[in-house]
Amino acid sequence: MDLPSADLMWSFFVAAVNSYRRDMVTRPFPSDFIDKSGEKNFDKLKETTDRCPTLTDVNRNSHKCDSSLMELMKLVLNPRSYTLKRINMEELREMHFELLDNNANPDFAFEVVHSQINDEKFRCLKGTSKSIFAFHGSKLENFYSILNCGLISNLNKVSLYGEGIYLSNDLRIVLHYSPSGVGWRNSIFGSSLSCVALCEMIDHPDVKCNTKSLSGEDGACNSQSTTQNSSISRRAKIPGSEGGEIPEKYFVVRNDDLVRINYLLLYCPQSNVSLASRITKNFVSRHKFLIVMLCYSMILIIAGVANSKWFKN
């Protein structure tokens, strides 16, 4: 796994540990931090995560890190259901050009690579049905549990149009549901982050929406997700909905198995510099003495060469 992906996964976990809703958002909970009585030891868990240096330092000095921290990091960074892979924004834009708003460009993008078992399960359920792509917004502290356990409709607090998982094909709408949250202070991305999930839904009657949301009008939908209206029954009303029909650009998924996260869009409001610059800055700040000594040595070498008889001749 690449360093940025591991850093983001650890940042999600730290955000969950420090949340006031930690009992809910730290699922799956590390078994090593459950007491004999069955109680979750959040104080010990937080103390352990607080001791974590940068991932660069962990890789370089893993033998110096305490065993409890290393075991915890192995668990968090090696989930069974998925892994992350950083991708270039241009790659994502080529696949979902019409979905990505030029006015809301993320700083980084990551692909969620699902396990073979989960991928086959989703593809089998999908069959020959169409795919619909849309965004899901959530607080930073929720993403550890979301990535490990999936999107779960009964945990969603938004229910104006009925119970379900809420998505939209308008990125600007979803950003309101993804406020900046405090992550990990040693992250190469900075401690303040915002994340949006780009999801794939199976075109099914349990994916409630206004059919205009699927028409691709005004560039709202990606060409891959555009479906002929004649093949879709009108399904914009959920029984018991307080808000009436589901408005355009919104989707409400009533069956958790019909949706999965394919990509993560990361926003880093604290800094506008590139990831490479951030890594370099982090390295320089932690190795100032070494860098100064190297520069001093280079100056002495250059001065020595310049004053040598060989150079003068």
Side-chain angles (χ1 to χ4, degrees), residues 129-168:
S129 300
K130 300 284 186 177
S131 287
I132 307 168
F133 295 92
F135 302 101
H136 175 77
S138 190
K139 294 180 179 179
L140 186 72
E141 64 196 44
N142 294 330
F143 275 95
Y144 168 74
S145 179
I146 287 175
L147 288 169
N148 282 278
C149 304
L151 292 165
I152 302 174
S153 58
N154 61 13
L155 296 180
N156 193 351
K157 293 184 178 181
V158 180
S159 58
L160 179 61
Y161 302 104
E163 184 179 291
I165 300 165
Y166 280 64
L167 303 98
S168 174

Side-chain angles (χ1 to χ4, degrees), residues 24-269:
M24 179 179 294
V25 297
T26 53
R27 300 175 183 175
F29 191 84
S31 58
D32 289 347
F33 294 86
I34 298 178
D35 297 336
K36 293 181 179 180
S37 61
E39 292 292 323
K40 298 176 181 178
N41 194 333
F42 283 105
D43 291 337
K44 182 181 177 182
L45 181 60
K46 186 178 186 309
E47 178 187 349
T48 303
T49 57
D50 286 345
R51 292 200 303 269
C52 184
T54 66
L55 294 192
T56 301
D57 288 342
V58 171
N59 288 335
R60 184 183 298 111
N61 303 305
S62 59
H63 60 284
K64 294 182 179 180
C65 296
D66 63 90
S67 58
S68 59
L69 173 60
M70 294 305 298
E71 288 301 316
L72 177 61
M73 296 190 75
K74 288 179 182 179
L75 179 66
V76 173
L77 302 182
N78 294 281
R80 295 179 179 179
S81 58
Y82 80 100
T83 188
L84 288 187
K85 181 178 70 174
R86 189 190 169 210
I87 63 171
N88 190 287
M89 273 303 302
E90 293 307 314
E91 295 180 52
L92 186 59
R93 194 172 296 283
E94 287 178 7
M95 293 182 284
H96 299 280
F97 175 76
E98 295 178 358
L99 274 174
L100 295 173
D101 192 320
N102 288 327
N103 295 320
N105 280 331
D107 295 300
F108 305 101
F110 294 83
E111 180 181 3
V112 180
V113 182
H114 297 275
S115 67
Q116 184 177 354
I117 294 176
N118 287 350
D119 188 58
E120 290 178 354
K121 179 182 177 182
F122 187 83
R123 293 184 181 279
C124 182
L125 183 62
K126 178 183 174 182
T128 59
S129 300
K130 300 284 186 177
S131 287
I132 307 168
F133 295 92
F135 302 101
H136 175 77
S138 190
K139 294 180 179 179
L140 186 72
E141 64 196 44
N142 294 330
F143 275 95
Y144 168 74
S145 179
I146 287 175
L147 288 169
N148 282 278
C149 304
L151 292 165
I152 302 174
S153 58
N154 61 13
L155 296 180
N156 193 351
K157 293 184 178 181
V158 180
S159 58
L160 179 61
Y161 302 104
E163 184 179 291
I165 300 165
Y166 280 64
L167 303 98
S168 174
N169 52 27
D170 189 329
L171 180 55
R172 290 167 295 185
I173 291 175
V174 174
L175 283 171
H176 291 293
Y177 298 94
S178 294
S180 294
V182 179
W184 177 38
R185 68 176 185 272
N186 289 327
S187 172
I188 56 177
F189 302 110
S191 61
S192 180
L193 303 173
S194 173
C195 190
V196 170
L198 175 51
C199 304
E200 178 182 4
M201 297 174 283
I202 298 173
D203 182 18
H204 183 277
D206 282 338
V207 176
K208 304 298 182 180
C209 60
N210 192 308
T211 53
K212 292 181 180 180
S213 298
L214 298 164
S215 64
E217 295 177 357
D218 300 323
C221 290
N222 183 276
S223 59
Q224 297 182 53
S225 63
T226 302
T227 311
Q228 294 182 355
N229 287 334
S230 60
S231 67
I232 305 174
S233 60
R234 185 169 178 80
R235 50 182 191 248
K237 185 70 178 291
I238 296 176
S241 169
E242 298 178 1
E245 289 191 350
I246 298 171
E248 293 180 40
K249 300 183 178 182
Y250 280 85
F251 299 86
V252 181
V253 182
R254 304 275 285 172
N255 181 342
D256 300 347
D257 294 332
L258 298 175
V259 60
R260 68 175 182 179
I261 298 175
N262 283 4
Y263 300 96
L264 296 175
L265 309 181
L266 189 65
Y267 295 84
C268 312

Side-chain angles (χ1 to χ4, degrees), residues 2 4 86 108 110 188-189 273-281:
D2 58 276
R86 189 190 169 210
F108 305 101
F110 294 83
I188 56 177
F189 302 110
V273 298
S274 67
L275 179 58
S277 298
R278 235 170 270 160
I279 294 175
T280 302
K281 182 179 179 181

Side-chain angles (χ1 to χ4, degrees), residues 290-303:
L290 175 61
I291 293 172
V292 170
M293 293 304 296
L294 287 174
C295 291
Y296 181 69
S297 299
M298 288 298 296
I299 292 173
L300 291 178
I301 292 171
I302 293 172

